[in-house]
Amino acid sequence: MRALLATSIGVTCAAALTLPLAVPGSAVPAPAPEPVPATAARAPAAEPQGSTQSLRLRPLAEPEPRASGEPTGPTSSHSAPTAGQGLLQRDSHRFSLVGVVWDDADAELHGTVQVRTRATGTGRWSGWQDLETHNTDHAADAGSAERESGRVRGATAPLWVGDSDGVEVRVRSDDTSSRDRSGAAAPLPAGLRAELVDPGDDPEQQPATAAPAPAPGTATAASAAVTPASASPRPGGLPAGASLGRAAAESSAANADLAPLGATEIPALSTAESEEQAVVAASAKPHAGPRPGIITRKGWGADESLRERAFAYTSTVKAAFVHHSATGNNYTCAQAPSVLRGIYRYHVKSSGWRDFGYNFAIDKCGNIYEGRAGGVTKAVLGAHTLGFNTNTMGIAVLGTFDSAKPSAAAVKAIGKLTAWKLGLFGRNPKGKVTLVSGGSGKYAKGARVKLNVISGHRDGFATECPGIRLYNKLGTARTTAAKLQGR
């Protein structure tokens, strides 16, 4: 079923993709700025917080130089030099999240992508860290307006590295399964770039911005929503005297029946109160679990000028796909909003998506966050599980769980969130559902696939996401969700 597009005031706009930024180099001269192809450009938009440095990768010589202070001998990470593309050690503006993108969203990167970064203030370089090569599995479905926009790029998963001011990158095509008849490794995708993302300051450090004047013909209700009529809104809303820009007001207004305009959190509800909101047949008994507290986009500091203004919806929510963000586990819960802002900017500015890809996110402390804009109770179309974005929702647990265990708080939060959201649409968390594939690589387009109502990303696509340690906990999440629904 085709997605529906809507906006609270019927105005659409687009945000600009990242333009490369020349940065002083410590090991090699900085390349001159190179424009993004015109087909990938968006109209310029105001960016009150955060920034992105986009640096083209270059062929690397063999062997690569050692970093200052790196040990020599057999323990060195450079003991097996290799050719490829990358960046030698260089200075940069400050950033906290890094990823690699390339021009063609349909091109797969068969190989490895590794980065090392220098911590701001200490001058210490990290060891080499792998980026998950993602390829096409986290993306809008083929044929969708988002995928066919001409802006979407191929991308690795981004990695959270903390406050950094230096970077080194290497990309190697060493996947033996992708070698040609001559034995040569498959070529790397064209247009490889390192994306260094500064997520900007936390929301409380941002001054309130004045609301723009209503455009001629703008709906009265939407115009009134931009600047609260009262200087003292209900608890949880904007502080006295503060106001929202139009895009932020639209995002907040999508949850107007749940929290006051500008609220940083949607409060928890009891089971009875949640069941009143359930969208089920009149003859069916609602089984909505109690609504958990949800930190809004305003709460984690989303820059609403980045995303496309329209919201995209499908008709219902039949299933939830659980992911790990693959951004690593080296973050504190206090840093989680910064991690989200970094991922959001990477999804929109670097990867060319219309908004944050996932519908919800969960951190290691079990905090639940609103993801893609459009309203937490609604069937918002995401870009999380290629081939199965329609009529589903995506939940990203912040972290990497191939070898590390997810926290008990995060697993419990999956159960709480799915009990409530799936219950609004009459879904049994321990049940099965048949979905029609939009073409995922694992399932052909049009294939009818029977899946768990709470599934892992790997169930719909040939991927290791979510990491096996998280995937193995989905049974616990299903049980928790079903109990919360009273089943």
Side-chain angles (χ1 to χ4, degrees), residues 388-453:
F388 294 101
N389 290 304
T390 298
N391 296 335
T392 68
M393 69 177 190
I395 303 168
V397 180
L398 299 183
T400 305
F401 304 107
D402 298 315
S403 57
K405 292 181 179 180
S407 68
V411 175
K412 184 176 181 180
I414 296 171
K416 292 164 64 176
L417 175 58
T418 52
W420 168 70
K421 183 63 181 279
L422 293 172
L424 295 180
F425 293 87
R427 311 300 174 188
N428 182 349
K430 296 187 75 173
K432 301 281 187 179
V433 64
T434 299
L435 301 175
V436 178
S437 172
S440 71
K442 184 173 183 177
Y443 297 104
K445 184 176 182 178
R448 295 176 61 83
V449 184
K450 192 172 185 179
L451 297 169
N452 289 311
V453 168

Side-chain angles (χ1 to χ4, degrees), residues 2 20 29 35 112 173 183 213 392 468:
R2 297 181 64 182
T112 59
S173 180
T392 68
I468 190 64

